[in-house]
Amino acid sequence: MLQWLPENIASYGAQYDAVFANIYYIVGAWFLAAELFLFFCIFAFGRRKGRKAGYLPGHSWKAMSWVLIPAVVILGFDLAIDHQQVPMWRAIKEKQPPADQTVTVKGKQFVWDITHPGADGKLGTEDDKQTMNQLYVPVDKVIHLNLEAEDVIHSFFIPNLRFKQDVVPGRSIKGWFKAVKTGQYKISCAELCGVGHGNMGGWIHVLSEQDYQKWLRGEEITTSRLDKDSL
Ligand SMILES: [Cu+2]
């Protein structure tokens, strides 16, 4: 697979990466082939003494085949990618496994406002925990997200989770993920949203169940190295 991708920590990540790799290799091979052919033509048929430029209207089948054959081959590759990608999209985006927990993430210039359910596991109650740019989730649990925006369009992006979703003012968009590895991973904004866009980000803290309970109680978590300087 592609070694330079950020480490995958999503339960569905392998399926996602397989589609990504396929597109990467197919498009990469076509890019190289097209460039090589272009340079070949430049050197082989370029301007030369005694050679006159000709005008080819391209009406013959022979001339048109230069366009039609590659177009059909590319269409074949497109359909092959669709064949692999459609079941993945259905599995990840159209179906949501039942939530273990739901978190609300609201983007605004230029922070992520995050509301976690407290010990009762429910949002909209008194023990909700609010943070800025810091998302806390237990490992191996299905997390549903209500994704919202206060002012302009932002995009909630966690590369390690292969998760990216635009947030749009006036809408609450549902998303989900299941992180399978504890640790701290970067959150970014992936939609240009104003002068502070480049600094709009945060961290997701994927905690063991034990650490997550500690965090709920407001105790210090030793495994979460970013806690001290980011809160
Ligand atoms: Cu933004």
Side-chain angles (χ1 to χ4, degrees):
M1 279 297 162
L2 303 171
Q3 300 302 323
W4 43 265
L5 282 178
E7 184 191 6
N8 164 45
I9 59 156
S11 56
Y12 52 68
Q15 218 181 340
Y16 184 103
D17 286 357
V19 175
F20 188 96
N22 231 357
I23 294 173
Y24 176 83
Y25 287 121
I26 289 172
V27 173
W30 275 100
F31 172 75
L32 284 179
E35 293 303 306
L36 285 173
F37 184 64
L38 175 68
F39 280 102
F40 166 75
C41 289
I42 289 172
F43 291 113
F45 308 114
R47 188 169 136 171
R48 220 161 277 164
K49 244 196 181 150
R51 181 190 284 168
K52 265 196 123 186
Y55 174 69
L56 300 169
H59 290 154
S60 68
W61 281 107
K62 197 184 164 204
M64 282 193 284
S65 66
W66 281 95
V67 173
L68 293 176
I69 291 172
V72 168
V73 176
I74 287 172
L75 182 66
F77 278 112
D78 272 354
L79 292 173
I81 290 169
D82 280 348
H83 181 73
Q84 183 196 24
Q85 178 244 312
V86 169
M88 178 205 73
W89 185 264
R90 284 208 182 117
I92 298 174
K93 294 291 180 189
E94 288 182 7
K95 286 187 205 134
Q96 295 209 341
D100 291 310
Q101 194 169 106
T102 304
V103 177
T104 296
V105 175
K106 190 178 235 182
K108 59 182 180 191
Q109 290 170 319
F110 296 96
V111 290
W112 297 107
D113 219 334
I114 300 172
T115 312
H116 308 74
D120 64 357
K122 286 191 199 110
L123 273 180
T125 53
E126 260 194 7
D127 68 347
D128 283 1
K129 290 192 92 159
Q130 194 117 11
T131 57
M132 199 174 273
N133 295 334
Q134 309 296 323
L135 171 58
Y136 291 85
V137 296
V139 70
D140 289 326
K141 291 271 153 64
V142 175
I143 311 296
H144 281 203
L145 299 173
N146 302 320
L147 295 154
E148 298 165 6
E150 200 169 280
D151 37 33
V152 298
I153 299 175
H154 303 272
S155 184
F156 189 65
F157 183 29
I158 309 175
N160 297 90
L161 276 174
R162 310 296 189 259
F163 188 95
K164 187 194 265 177
Q165 173 62 55
D166 277 12
V167 294
V168 182
R171 287 181 64 184
S172 182
I173 298 170
K174 309 291 170 207
W176 75 277
F177 63 79
K178 183 161 102 176
V180 295
K181 195 178 169 200
T182 58
Q184 281 80 42
Y185 309 93
K186 196 98 185 83
I187 298 172
S188 302
C189 179
E191 180 63 58
L192 188 58
C193 58
V195 283
H197 167 67
N199 291 324
M200 184 168 171
W203 294 90
I204 175 171
H205 306 255
V206 181
L207 303 175
S208 65
E209 187 58 40
Q210 214 178 7
D211 276 346
Y212 186 75
Q213 294 303 329
K214 271 191 188 173
W215 175 73
L216 279 179
R217 293 193 296 267
E219 292 168 23
E220 199 175 329
I221 314 158
T222 44
T223 50
S224 191
R225 64 186 153 83
L226 289 156
D227 281 346
K228 286 178 203 79
D229 46 45
S230 59
L231 283 176

